[in-house]
Amino acid sequence: MLLPVRAGKVPAGSDTLFAAFEHVIDDWVERCPGDSFQYYHVGSAAVPEMEEWERFCSDANRGLLAGAINLMTVPPLEVQRRLADFPYVVISLKREDMQHNSPDIEFDMAEMFRKQLELLISKGCRNIAVLLNDNMSIAKNLAILNIAEQCPVNCPRRWIQGMNLTHTRTLFYDNLLELMFSRDQEHVPDGLVVQNENFLPAVLNALGRLGIIPGEQVKIVSHGNLPVVRPQTAGVDYTYFRIDRVLAEAIGLLKRWKAGLLHDRRIDLLIPPSNDVTYR
Amino acid sequence: MLLPVRAGKVPAGSDTLFAAFEHVIDDWVERCPGDSFQYYHVGSAAVPEMEEWERFCSDANRGLLAGAINLMTVPPLEVQRRLADFPYVVISLKREDMQHNSPDIEFDMAEMFRKQLELLISKGCRNIAVLLNDNMSIAKNLAILNIAEQCPVNCPRRWIQGMNLTHTRTLFYDNLLELMFSRDQEHVPDGLVVQNENFLPAVLNALGRLGIIPGEQVKIVSHGNLPVVRPQTAGVDYTYFRIDRVLAEAIGLLKRWKAGLLHDRRIDLLIPPSNDVTYR
């Protein structure tokens, strides 16, 4: 019996990671009918739903749960204290900002970026612009800037810009892309990395307004999760993370914890990107 | 007896509005020793401190408070229901995003922007860039874009960009300014509006790295609150909001509510910018 805690901040369908995770859990249950999963919609780290955390703690303390998977959230410190030796893992984008004394599974965004650059270069791009999630950790951002700096084509810092889902309005997406793709420059980007696929609709809309055709004047590569749960965008290439592997690693870590094999709980596990699109 | 509720999210000193507000409250108490103020550190609208709201409700219901001033926050809906006919006002930046049935005092950011553009134009600027708070309301942003479009000098949309204090890392401030001020353009901005003075240190640092001297190659105008509670930046002009007027308006509205003179509670009061720097 294994039961994940899931952040409930993002409404179903609005972020592909949550939908893909639900999908691989359904697959897991089909293969291992003895295992069951319980969802807790605990909100985000910034805005926790305390009543739901309370329900989770109560279930954990009554022995109803074998362990917990925290998807893009971290138990509030008060909950962490109450969990004591209860096994849990965190699937996050930035351990450095999210304090917890448990295994942490992160996506290797730097390696993904390297692959995305390689893909664009192999398609002939020589002037590459990048739109990153601006709330990623500083460490990841610095690693990405470093890869950009060392790449054999033109990928200057002024073409590496931050966007975010929570604050930035479409207004500013438009203006930012108009500035990045201004023809009033010696070079104009012919390749674009859109790190978060959730930005794609706004980015494609802005490019359309500027008369720039994705896949023609500019090659675009973005990030996706496997299994693919949302129709993919024409004119865009994707680099994927396999979410079934994330679930398998999380469950493996919980089992090792329960078996007393996790001497140091502060394990950092990096999930590499995969372009194995034959999955499913 | 008048007691304001104050959002406690921003640490003292990190935002000049909170510090200026505390200052004008001290002045008020000096002039009107019969009035006293009680602070409640209730967090932000997104992350409310429910225990502090509880303390506030309890004090309000026991008749200890004459009214409340919500500074950059709004009572959670549950608290609003419990307040019933208790007089309160909200000082906000975006009524449209913050639901409440009480008078709302907003800063006239569009009028401030118009004054800032005029100031830059009067100093000879012909190519003006703008850094806005990207979590302002859409209505305010559209009003500002409209003013920019109609102004007699060059202030294109691609030079109007969003920044925010909560998410964007210094990394992206740097890259954004490098792109905006790239010499690889037909025109380079010679004027810059920095809407939020809290961005100034990062902006000036980035300009310095680019070899652009504020006040010389680029004239900068920013926003400030009166009284000035933080040393001002050399090479920067300021457009001010008088916070003593904000407090006086808030108290006036509470008195009218208590006197039964507020038939419609959904009053929207706009505070105009002031350049009367002789205050204090």
Side-chain angles (χ1 to χ4, degrees):
Chain A
M1 187 171 54
L2 285 152
L3 303 103
V5 174
R6 177 190 160 190
K9 185 193 177 190
V10 179
S14 81
D15 189 288
T16 64
L17 174 61
F18 288 80
F21 209 77
E22 222 171 281
H23 208 296
V24 299
I25 282 176
D26 290 347
D27 283 355
W28 184 282
V29 171
E30 218 168 276
R31 283 198 317 277
C32 313
D35 291 343
S36 70
F37 294 82
Q38 173 72 38
Y39 293 98
Y40 298 86
H41 295 273
V42 293
S44 66
V47 190
E49 298 283 343
M50 290 313 296
E51 276 177 34
E52 193 72 348
W53 277 115
E54 195 53 54
R55 184 168 79 89
F56 162 73
C57 280
S58 155
D59 289 353
N61 288 334
R62 286 189 296 149
L64 300 177
L65 308 176
I69 298 167
N70 292 266
L71 185 53
M72 304 303 276
T73 192
V74 162
L77 289 177
E78 180 201 326
V79 172
Q80 288 186 37
R81 274 192 297 273
R82 289 170 61 191
L83 290 177
D85 203 51
F86 180 78
Y88 72 96
V89 299
V90 167
I91 297 167
S92 80
L93 286 172
K94 41 179 180 175
R95 173 167 212 139
E96 68 184 55
D97 289 348
M98 300 172 94
Q99 206 186 330
H100 61 102
N101 185 27
S102 68
D104 189 281
I105 301 176
E106 294 194 39
F107 297 98
D108 192 341
M109 306 303 279
E111 190 51 36
M112 183 175 85
F113 179 69
R114 194 192 306 276
K115 285 188 117 169
Q116 291 172 324
L117 273 190
E118 275 169 12
L119 182 69
L120 290 175
I121 292 169
S122 78
K123 292 200 156 195
C125 300
R126 294 298 172 260
N127 294 288
I128 296 175
V130 182
L131 293 170
L132 300 177
N133 239 335
D134 76 4
N135 62 356
M136 256 200 322
S137 75
I138 291 278
K140 283 204 175 63
N141 277 327
L142 288 178
I144 285 173
L145 285 183
N146 202 33
I147 291 167
E149 201 162 6
Q150 288 172 15
C151 91
V153 300
N154 186 31
C155 184
R157 283 182 68 129
R158 69 177 184 279
W159 284 352
I160 304 177
Q161 296 292 339
M163 292 176 93
N164 71 73
L165 282 175
T166 42
H167 283 260
T168 307
R169 312 281 186 157
T170 310
L171 213 56
F172 293 114
Y173 289 167
D174 276 6
N175 291 7
L176 185 61
L177 284 160
E178 193 172 329
L179 183 62
M180 281 178 111
F181 283 85
S182 166
R183 292 198 174 85
D184 180 19
Q185 302 177 86
E186 200 190 336
H187 300 285
V188 176
D190 57 11
L192 176 63
V193 177
V194 181
Q195 195 193 40
N196 187 330
E197 69 176 315
N198 297 304
F199 297 146
L200 278 175
V203 167
L204 293 174
N205 181 267
L207 289 176
R209 204 170 54 80
L210 297 169
I212 297 168
I213 301 170
E216 299 191 13
Q217 283 104 315
V218 64
K219 307 268 188 273
I220 300 180
V221 58
S222 189
H223 136 277
N225 294 305
L226 285 177
V228 171
V229 291
R230 184 190 285 176
Q232 302 214 312
T233 309
V236 174
D237 286 300
Y238 288 86
T239 304
Y240 296 96
F241 288 111
R242 286 191 60 163
I243 305 306
D244 60 336
R245 288 199 188 147
V246 176
L247 179 62
E249 294 285 3
I251 290 174
L253 283 163
L254 292 177
K255 285 185 173 164
R256 282 166 64 197
W257 182 327
K258 282 188 84 70
L261 298 172
L262 273 196
H263 302 298
D264 182 3
R265 302 233 164 102
R266 290 187 56 83
I267 290 173
D268 287 311
L269 195 74
L270 266 183
I271 301 289
S274 157
N275 271 335
D276 171 13
V277 290
T278 61
Y279 175 80
R280 289 186 71 87
Chain B
M1 187 170 52
L2 284 152
L3 304 104
V5 174
R6 177 189 160 190
K9 187 194 176 189
V10 180
S14 81
D15 189 288
T16 64
L17 174 61
F18 288 80
F21 209 78
E22 221 171 283
H23 209 296
V24 297
I25 283 177
D26 290 347
D27 283 355
W28 184 283
V29 171
E30 218 168 276
R31 283 199 316 277
C32 313
D35 291 342
S36 71
F37 293 81
Q38 173 72 36
Y39 292 98
Y40 297 85
H41 295 274
V42 293
S44 65
V47 190
E49 297 282 342
M50 290 312 297
E51 277 176 33
E52 193 73 347
W53 278 115
E54 197 50 54
R55 184 169 79 90
F56 162 72
C57 281
S58 155
D59 289 353
N61 289 333
R62 285 188 296 150
L64 299 177
L65 308 176
I69 299 167
N70 292 265
L71 184 53
M72 304 304 275
T73 193
V74 162
L77 289 177
E78 180 202 326
V79 172
Q80 288 186 36
R81 276 192 296 272
R82 289 170 61 191
L83 290 179
D85 203 51
F86 179 80
Y88 71 96
V89 299
V90 168
I91 297 167
S92 81
L93 286 172
K94 40 178 181 178
R95 174 169 210 138
E96 70 185 51
D97 289 348
M98 300 170 94
Q99 206 187 331
H100 60 101
N101 184 26
S102 67
D104 189 281
I105 300 176
E106 292 195 42
F107 297 99
D108 192 341
M109 306 303 279
E111 191 51 38
M112 182 173 86
F113 179 69
R114 193 192 307 276
K115 284 190 117 165
Q116 290 171 326
L117 273 190
E118 275 169 13
L119 182 68
L120 289 176
I121 292 169
S122 77
K123 291 198 158 195
C125 299
R126 293 299 171 262
N127 294 287
I128 297 176
V130 182
L131 293 171
L132 300 177
N133 241 334
D134 75 4
N135 61 357
M136 255 199 327
S137 75
I138 292 278
K140 284 204 172 68
N141 277 326
L142 289 178
I144 285 173
L145 285 184
N146 201 33
I147 291 166
E149 201 163 5
Q150 288 174 13
C151 91
V153 300
N154 185 32
C155 183
R157 282 182 69 129
R158 68 176 184 281
W159 284 352
I160 304 179
Q161 297 291 339
M163 293 176 92
N164 70 72
L165 281 177
T166 43
H167 283 259
T168 306
R169 311 282 182 155
T170 310
L171 214 54
F172 294 113
Y173 290 167
D174 277 6
N175 292 7
L176 184 62
L177 284 160
E178 195 173 328
L179 183 62
M180 281 177 110
F181 284 86
S182 166
R183 291 196 176 82
D184 181 18
Q185 301 177 88
E186 201 190 337
H187 299 286
V188 176
D190 57 11
L192 176 64
V193 176
V194 181
Q195 193 193 41
N196 186 330
E197 68 176 315
N198 297 304
F199 296 145
L200 278 176
V203 168
L204 293 174
N205 183 267
L207 290 176
R209 202 169 56 79
L210 297 169
I212 297 167
I213 300 170
E216 298 192 12
Q217 283 103 315
V218 64
K219 307 267 189 270
I220 299 178
V221 58
S222 189
H223 135 276
N225 294 304
L226 285 176
V228 171
V229 292
R230 185 190 285 176
Q232 301 214 315
T233 308
V236 174
D237 285 300
Y238 288 85
T239 305
Y240 295 97
F241 288 111
R242 284 190 60 165
I243 305 305
D244 60 336
R245 287 197 188 150
V246 176
L247 179 63
E249 294 284 2
I251 290 174
L253 284 162
L254 292 176
K255 285 185 172 163
R256 282 167 61 199
W257 182 327
K258 282 188 84 69
L261 299 172
L262 274 197
H263 301 298
D264 182 3
R265 299 230 168 106
R266 290 187 57 84
I267 291 173
D268 286 312
L269 194 75
L270 266 183
I271 299 289
S274 156
N275 270 334
D276 171 13
V277 290
T278 60
Y279 174 79
R280 290 188 69 87

